[in-house]
Amino acid sequence: MGFQNDKAVVVFSGGQDSTTCLFWALEQFEEVIAVTFSYGQRHDEEIEVAKRIAEDINVEHHVLDMGLLSQLAPNALTRDDIDVEAGEDGELPSTFVEGRNLLFFSFATILASQKKAKHIVTGVCETDYSGYPDCRDVFVKSLNVSLNLAIGKEFVLHTPLMWLDKKETWELADRLGRLEYVKDETLTCYHGIPGDGCGECPACKLRRAGYEQYMEQKERKGL
């Protein structure tokens, strides 16, 4: 049995971006599977949030163990003794996990192959990507070619947020009818606080600024 052209695997963390992508995929494809990676995150709550959302919207959900990442690439997302800090003087933020998306997208594609799914959906974007090299469009396109050559099938990697900023990501969630759900149920905060989060870490500040900008825009348009 070959590909099911209307079937997709979504790389899903339970955060704002990947949850928006999950709802986007549910609009685009007949069948959707979510996959979450456990890589030694500081907060197990991230995985629990992903499980809750997948169960709530009745999506098949897989959690894969990628704990080796925390050994190979120590960073602020996996180590309590490394502070969450923005990059300075051209340096990457302390939250950058080397090779994370390379591995996540590769394993998601292997899962897709096993599930006979042609499509893989990820929430990476260049607009608000903090300089992470593995969030760039050129990386995703390159990896797409490599995965197709490696596995011998014609997968398609989708990045619906690639050219959207956070305001536009909130707008997409609203168009999908899921704005309040994404706001209340997802976990973006680097300190593991769901919903509006701690309000102080870089992820929370970016998320809140985008939400406020979108709500101001919406109010101006009288929507």
Side-chain angles (χ1 to χ4, degrees):
M1 184 179 176
F3 271 143
Q4 293 182 34
N5 192 47
D6 211 20
K7 190 172 184 178
V9 170
V10 179
V11 178
F12 181 56
S13 69
Q16 175 194 356
D17 293 345
S18 67
T19 303
T20 302
C21 284
L22 184 60
F23 287 127
W24 177 86
L26 287 167
E27 293 282 327
Q28 302 293 321
F29 304 105
E30 181 99 12
E31 187 174 351
V32 174
I33 298 167
V35 59
T36 301
F37 296 98
S38 174
Y39 60 98
Q41 298 97 313
R42 278 194 194 190
H43 306 288
D44 291 338
E45 180 64 16
E46 179 178 307
I47 297 170
E48 294 307 312
V49 166
K51 288 179 179 177
R52 284 200 300 271
I53 293 173
E55 183 177 1
D56 189 36
I57 62 177
N58 196 30
V59 166
E60 180 181 335
H61 185 220
H62 298 264
V63 179
L64 301 184
D65 181 10
M66 297 288 289
L68 180 63
L69 259 181
S70 63
Q71 299 175 46
L72 280 174
N75 62 88
L77 295 187
T78 60
R79 300 290 179 86
D80 289 326
D81 57 347
I82 300 177
D83 293 332
V84 173
E85 295 176 343
E88 296 181 1
D89 300 324
E91 293 292 321
L92 287 165
S94 65
T95 51
F96 175 59
V97 185
E98 287 184 341
R100 178 172 61 171
N101 286 342
L102 172 65
L103 293 174
F104 286 4
F105 300 170
S106 297
F107 278 83
T109 304
I110 295 168
L111 177 64
S113 182
Q114 297 299 308
K115 293 289 184 176
K116 312 296 184 188
K118 182 180 179 69
H119 303 276
I120 298 93
V121 182
T122 84
V124 297
C125 77
E126 282 204 25
T127 312
D128 290 325
Y129 76 136
S130 301
Y132 293 177
D134 60 357
C135 288
R136 294 174 297 170
D137 186 58
V138 66
F139 162 72
V140 176
K141 284 184 166 59
S142 171
L143 184 60
N144 199 158
V145 172
S146 296
L147 288 168
N148 290 355
L149 290 170
I151 300 177
K153 297 178 182 177
E154 295 296 319
F155 299 100
V156 181
L157 266 63
H158 297 266
T159 54
L161 309 184
M162 180 58 73
W163 308 113
L164 304 185
D165 60 21
K166 274 291 179 284
K167 174 178 72 69
E168 293 164 327
T169 301
W170 284 114
E171 184 176 4
L172 175 58
D174 202 8
R175 288 206 307 270
L176 294 167
R178 296 292 190 165
L179 179 69
E180 292 306 316
Y181 189 96
V182 172
K183 182 177 184 296
D184 295 338
E185 302 299 331
T186 62
L187 170 57
T188 302
C189 177
Y190 287 147
H191 297 295
I193 303 171
D196 292 333
C198 71
E200 297 300 324
C201 73
C204 283
K205 288 179 179 178
L206 189 64
R207 171 179 163 132
R208 182 178 61 201
Y211 181 79
E212 290 174 352
Q213 289 164 13
Y214 174 59
M215 295 309 290
E216 287 172 9
Q217 171 186 297
K218 192 173 179 180
E219 188 174 338
R220 284 197 306 272
K221 291 182 177 179
L223 299 176

